[in-house]
Amino acid sequence: MECHQSYQYYSSSDLHDQQDLSYISSQPSLQSVPSLASQSHNQSNTCHHCLTTLQGQNSYTSSLTLAGNFIYTGSSDGEIRSWRCNSLHEFDSENPTLDHNMVAAGKGAVKSLAISGDKLFSAHQDHKIRVWKINTHHEHDRQKCSRLATLPTLGDRAAKLLMPNNHVQIRRHKKCTWVHHVDTVSALALSSDEQLLYSVSWDRTLKVWSTTDFRCLESVRNAHDDAINAVTSSNDGHVYTGSADKRIKVWRKDLGEKKHSLVATLEKHHSGVNALALSRDGCVLFSGACDRSIVVWEKKEGEAHMEVVGALRGHTKSILCLAVVSDLVCSGSADKSIRIWRGLIEATRA
């Protein structure tokens, strides 16, 4: 299998310590457009420009997602806001605040957001997942959310409380039921049919929830050896988790089985994995880490195992988030830049 090789951008701070990333440097480089931090690359052919700046939050933005004509953002003070737009091309640069409103307020920083129909799921630093019903007032096309549940629900906790085998040790002298997260809920992902919600936490667990009755269906304890920072799922039922233990693990629940089992462990990063993103067909996985690398993995036909087919280089600090839109991959970094990589999915299959 050959990968398309193309020009790669570097900043001067990248070049002196490439020895630390020799395993990454040995991988083919895939194509990047210039960084969106304009001060870093003064390329004459750069055509990116800011359409608008969304203002109105009282604290830093810690999560966001898109659904229909709305952008939803979560902040470190627990607020969730919605921003309405007809299309990205109709942002008004003269009106930087757009039409937005606070739709919900929880407790603890909002670490992740996921939307299924009229339900909004939010993961929080206070160890909870909150479920909101999105109510749209059509006359003004404005939204407000009402809280449907906090996970785990009271009924779920009560049902597990009476059975001793439902209790797990979380500290030396403390136990709780297995349906609880006991540390920050760091990321959420929905199954392809949106019947299941996956959550991961710094408590090293992967949990599976029903999106209809909100019960916790499964908890994988000690899924990793350190905090879990990222989760994503593919159409074929595989669930990918990325952790501070430098590993990406692949999970699957086979037909007839009651629980997910580990089917593969992907090891190539030399530091904690912070972000994961899948191509639309689930055949290409992108993983971002503290080592400044984005590794590109491709699934072998008919197998869960993935092999490295490339690496994306250019960021000078940790990769914090990734998103895939069509054939574009967007990466956000602690170096305060966003990079957009194009042609990656086609390139890895060339």
Side-chain angles (χ1 to χ4, degrees), residues 53-74:
T53 299
L54 307 183
Q55 298 176 340
Q57 293 193 160
N58 300 315
S59 186
Y60 68 82
T61 303
S62 51
S63 57
L64 64 83
T65 192
L66 289 84
N69 293 333
F70 289 88
I71 300 172
Y72 297 86
T73 60

Side-chain angles (χ1 to χ4, degrees), residues 9-26:
Y9 295 95
Y10 287 101
S11 71
S12 59
S13 59
D14 263 336
L15 298 176
H16 76 280
D17 59 355
Q18 287 299 305
Q19 293 87 349
D20 295 337
L21 297 176
S22 58
Y23 78 103
I24 294 296
S25 297
S26 65

Side-chain angles (χ1 to χ4, degrees), residues 65-72 83-88 115 117 143:
T65 192
L66 289 84
N69 293 333
F70 289 88
I71 300 172
Y72 297 86
W83 313 75
R84 180 177 58 82
C85 59
N86 293 325
S87 74
L88 289 178
I115 291 181
Q143 294 185 329

Side-chain angles (χ1 to χ4, degrees), residues 207-225:
K207 296 188 188 297
V208 186
W209 311 80
S210 166
T211 58
T212 53
D213 61 13
F214 310 134
R215 289 184 302 116
C216 186
L217 304 176
E218 182 185 349
S219 179
V220 181
R221 292 188 65 204
N222 298 316
H224 283 266
D225 295 331

Side-chain angles (χ1 to χ4, degrees), residues 110-115 120-124 128-130 151 181 185-190 197-200 207 209 229-233:
V110 184
K111 305 296 287 184
S112 183
L113 295 168
I115 291 181
L120 170 65
F121 299 89
S122 57
H124 293 261
K128 301 290 195 303
I129 300 168
R130 292 177 172 84
L151 308 186
H181 278 303
V185 184
S186 52
L188 301 172
L190 289 161
L197 176 74
Y198 303 100
S199 65
V200 293
K207 296 188 188 297
W209 311 80
N229 298 320
V231 62
T232 190
S233 65

